[in-house]
Amino acid sequence: MVLAVSPTAWAGWTPGGNNTGSETQVGGGQKDETLSANAGAVVFDRSKNGTGESAGPVTSSAANWTPPACYYAPKYTPDQFQKHVEPTWESESTGYQWDAEQRDRYVNGEPYKDFNKDKAGEGYWWDSYVTEGRQGDPGALDCTRPYFWVDNGDPPPADVPEAITPEMLAQLAYAEIRVPSTKVELAPEGTTKVNLPTWSWLDTAKFKPVSVTASVPLLDVEATTTAEPVSLKIEPGTDDATTYPASGECEINADGSIGEPYAKGKADETPPCGVKYLRSSGDGSYQLQATITWKIHWTGTGVNEDQALPDGEFGAEQDVIVQEIQAVNR
């Protein structure tokens, strides 16, 4: 899925932000990780993300789907660019011919002249960034284009598919989404009996939409990716079990909860979400797997309505001991 971003969406971008042109645009990294700057041009606002020790990233339900491993974005002003490249040329470590070609390209007018200093304040030198945590990914090698200049308000060159866009920001934010643990409440708790329906549910307060916003301050462009819980899948950890409903998929309720807490007097009722074990776990336990499916979408600069991203999943295992019901003969 690729969303075409029209030139009008780029035309309104205005450069700004702190440390203009530096490799990290905005400082961050607070203990609660609500605001943090990547080692690149993209800044993430995690203030509406899932929290807690057991929170974790979702796994895409789409095969082979991953956010981009690299991208192009603004990095240097003309003066900063000069300070970055000239020491390499002067060290002669890259060879005379390569250094001469670079000087021709960026200094001698083929096609740029004097690092575009006459355009200071009118644009930036763009370079590639590798997405954090993707340094060893083969996709990180896709961004090999030499530095190029983009005027403020202009879209990047059409032949640079890795140039940062709102959709790419949304995909990068997807990787930053954290959702709470899916450990379910059980009744009976921890230990149940053979052929006894075990009720399972998740608290409303824990399962609510979470979101992360990714932005490029220099371009005044952003995208917010939101994940909403939609269902819980129960896998008992053994084939000798029956799930409720039969599919094992428990839909989210109107109040945001999943399943229904057990209450006194419901022992003879069928739980709307749960499991019945048909065989004892012996001296061990079964590993019940509870997986939440999260519907994920995004919106951002130049986008008028929500755009879909692949659903995400996050699960956790928990021990369930199943005992035989002992009969007493008199």
Side-chain angles (χ1 to χ4, degrees):
M1 180 197 70
V2 176
L3 178 71
V5 179
S6 67
T8 55
W10 294 81
W13 290 10
T14 56
N18 298 326
N19 302 323
T20 296
S22 66
E23 293 206 11
T24 299
Q25 306 300 338
V26 177
Q30 290 93 328
K31 291 183 180 179
D32 62 0
E33 294 187 348
T34 56
L35 261 180
S36 180
N38 255 359
V42 178
V43 175
F44 296 100
D45 178 354
R46 303 185 181 95
S47 60
K48 297 180 181 179
N49 208 3
T51 58
E53 292 183 1
S54 58
V58 294
T59 300
S60 169
S61 61
N64 301 321
W65 185 91
T66 56
C70 69
Y71 57 90
Y72 290 99
K75 185 175 283 190
Y76 302 112
T77 65
D79 283 342
Q80 290 169 336
F81 183 50
Q82 180 181 8
K83 292 176 182 178
H84 174 69
V85 298
E86 279 196 329
T88 302
W89 302 345
E90 292 169 357
S91 70
E92 300 181 352
S93 60
T94 50
Y96 173 81
Q97 181 176 350
W98 188 88
D99 292 346
E101 291 173 352
Q102 295 298 295
R103 290 182 186 277
D104 285 343
R105 175 174 174 81
Y106 298 112
V107 182
N108 299 329
E110 300 177 17
Y112 305 109
K113 186 175 181 180
D114 193 23
F115 303 103
N116 267 10
K117 287 184 178 180
D118 62 330
K119 288 192 169 186
E122 299 177 11
Y124 292 93
W125 288 102
W126 286 43
D127 191 18
S128 62
Y129 295 86
V130 175
T131 303
E132 188 174 9
R134 305 286 297 281
Q135 287 79 1
D137 194 306
L141 303 177
D142 292 341
C143 301
T144 57
R145 185 184 178 96
Y147 307 102
F148 57 93
W149 178 267
V150 178
D151 286 335
N152 295 337
D154 284 354
D159 61 347
V160 186
E162 299 88 2
I164 199 73
T165 64
E167 184 186 23
M168 291 175 68
L169 286 173
Q171 293 172 350
L172 294 171
Y174 187 114
E176 298 295 318
I177 288 286
R178 297 294 180 268
V179 296
S181 168
T182 55
K183 184 176 181 179
V184 295
E185 302 288 341
L186 297 173
E189 181 180 1
T191 300
T192 187
K193 306 295 184 182
V194 171
N195 291 321
L196 177 66
T198 300
W199 294 56
S200 60
W201 67 94
L202 285 166
D203 188 359
T204 306
K206 293 182 180 179
F207 288 88
K208 56 186 178 181
V210 299
S211 65
V212 172
T213 297
S215 64
V216 180
L218 285 179
L219 300 176
D220 193 25
V221 63
E222 68 176 29
T224 297
T225 298
T226 300
E228 301 179 70
V230 292
S231 65
L232 165 69
K233 184 174 178 62
I234 297 290
E235 296 175 277
T238 174
D239 291 335
D240 294 317
T242 299
T243 56
Y244 305 103
S247 64
E249 294 275 354
C250 304
E251 297 297 323
I252 192 167
N253 301 321
D255 64 356
S257 63
I258 298 177
E260 180 183 332
Y262 176 77
K264 188 176 180 179
K266 293 184 177 181
D268 295 330
E269 296 182 20
T270 299
C273 182
V275 59
K276 179 172 69 176
Y277 287 96
L278 307 178
R279 188 184 298 272
S280 165
S281 59
D283 294 331
S285 61
Y286 294 123
Q287 295 294 302
L288 182 145
Q289 175 86 22
T291 302
I292 292 285
T293 295
W294 297 78
K295 181 180 180 180
I296 302 180
H297 54 86
W298 72 276
T299 188
T301 304
V303 178
N304 295 324
E305 57 186 28
D306 287 345
Q307 305 293 319
L309 287 170
D311 287 349
E313 297 177 344
F314 186 62
E317 290 184 342
Q318 57 198 94
D319 293 333
V320 178
I321 298 172
V322 182
Q323 299 176 337
E324 294 279 2
I325 298 176
Q326 301 298 321
V328 178
N329 296 319
R330 294 183 184 274

